[in-house]
Amino acid sequence: MLPPTGATRLAAVIGSPVRHSLSPRLHNAAFAALGLDWVYVALEVAPGDAAAALAGMRALGLGGLSVTTPHKEAVAEACHHLTDDAATLGAVNCVVPVDGELVGHNTDGPGFVASVRATGTAVDGARCVVLGAGGAARAISLSLARSGAAEVAVVNRTAARAEQAVAPLGGVGRVVAPDEVAGPLASADIVVNATTVGMGEPGPDDLPVDPSPLHAGQLVVDIVYRPLETPLLAAARHQGATAVNGVPMLVHQAAVAFELWTGEAAPVEAMSLSVAELLS
Ligand SMILES: NC(=O)c1ccc[n+]([C@@H]2O[C@H](COP(=O)([O-])OP(=O)(O)OC[C@H]3O[C@@H](n4cnc5c(N)ncnc54)[C@H](OP(=O)(O)O)[C@@H]3O)[C@@H](O)[C@H]2O)c1
């Protein structure tokens, strides 16, 4: 990283807690790879203070802001403008200053789709199963539908949240009850775990779904990245499927933000290496 100068641009992530965030690592690696005079820091912002943080971003002239838990919804309300996806989701994870106003984006879905395409798997025409209906699952489901998926089946413990996730998906979305998931899992091209099951220190049976219908030719993504290898990924690989953890999504959602802020093509390889070192 270049030593900061009077001309250095500042970007940041706000969240609570935020100390564990990998975003500073990813973005500073990207700035360094391209020799950009930018610095990225993590800022702890207490719940309830998101609107004040956004006013601060504007006053201080930050070049970009990432937003993580618990501020994504409050930031969506505090931005001057939202993209269609951010408005549909009611959640913002990336703020871009444009002519003195703040535009809220959600890069989780586009980042997920980019990470799938990076494996060589087509999203257009794909049959997809999304496990979970929280913030990440809703963003992923919306982007899969917008990217031409033939079907997006949402499976969630709490049925009402699955209905909410499916509502903006048009004809390609449907709710599948957890006890009816075997058929959709067997016929899926892409299976995504966007629940928190498998996070932390999972036991060997800590699975979001019975993996026995999985098979070769499928892509199974677990968006959890701590740990890198979840019981679902191990089981999917055992069944012959291609298994991918949450790191590529993490990198690609940051890459989309980086490009919005700097106007430069993101150095995805350098960004991946920066977190691989830390997580492995
Ligand atoms: N790789 C990346 O870039 C990336 C980006 C964003 C998030 N993530 C990861 O994605 C995961 C979800 O994040 P989020 O923000 O969407 O969380 P969230 O909004 O809290 O949603 C959590 C989801 O997990 C489900 N769930 C929790 N415990 C469960 C259990 N015991 N059995 C079945 N379902 C359970 C919830 O179901 P109910 O609705 O029934 O409660 C809900 O669907 C986290 O692990 C997060 O770290 C990764």
Side-chain angles (χ1 to χ4, degrees):
M1 191 165 70
L2 298 168
T5 69
T8 300
R9 303 292 317 270
L10 180 65
V13 55
I14 59 167
S16 183
V18 79
R19 290 178 70 88
H20 67 285
S21 174
L22 296 173
S23 295
R25 187 87 173 193
L26 279 166
H27 286 287
N28 286 317
F31 297 144
L34 298 190
L36 299 183
D37 188 11
W38 285 63
V39 169
Y40 187 108
V41 295
L43 302 173
E44 180 80 22
V45 170
D49 281 347
L54 247 65
M57 173 190 181
R58 199 169 168 217
L60 295 169
L62 264 63
L65 192 74
S66 308
V67 182
T68 188
T69 311
H71 300 307
K72 291 183 180 183
E73 290 77 17
V75 167
E77 287 181 13
C79 284
H80 297 101
H81 307 283
L82 298 177
T83 62
D84 284 351
D85 282 5
T88 299
L89 297 165
V92 162
N93 75 338
C94 167
V95 184
V96 183
V98 180
D99 299 331
E101 297 198 312
L102 301 179
V103 183
H105 294 247
N106 196 307
T107 67
D108 274 339
F112 176 79
V113 166
S115 74
V116 167
R117 290 190 172 134
T119 69
T121 304
V123 173
D124 200 18
R127 284 157 301 176
C128 308
V129 172
V130 178
L131 307 172
R138 291 174 55 226
I140 288 168
S141 299
L142 185 62
S143 279
L144 287 170
R146 292 227 204 275
S147 305
E151 179 175 279
V152 181
V154 176
V155 185
N156 196 49
R157 181 179 62 176
T158 309
R161 287 185 94 192
E163 298 285 354
Q164 254 186 326
V166 161
L169 305 187
V172 301
R174 68 178 175 118
V175 175
V176 170
D179 59 357
E180 289 171 2
V181 72
L185 271 189
S187 59
D189 301 300
I190 300 169
V191 176
V192 190
N193 176 40
T195 74
T196 49
V197 177
M199 242 177 111
E201 299 265 325
D205 299 326
D206 212 349
L207 290 158
V209 75
D210 171 7
S212 57
L214 299 174
H215 55 81
Q218 297 179 309
L219 176 69
V220 177
V221 184
D222 197 331
I223 70 164
V224 168
Y225 51 86
R226 283 187 173 115
L228 290 173
E229 177 80 345
T230 60
L232 175 65
L233 292 181
R237 209 170 281 118
H238 180 75
Q239 296 290 118
T242 300
V244 173
N245 64 29
V247 174
M249 173 181 169
L250 180 75
V251 170
H252 281 278
Q253 62 77 29
V256 175
F258 180 92
E259 292 179 1
L260 287 166
W261 299 332
T262 66
E264 305 278 347
V268 171
E269 191 63 35
M271 295 169 87
S272 299
L273 281 174
S274 73
V275 287
E277 278 167 20
L278 211 67
L279 289 170
S280 58

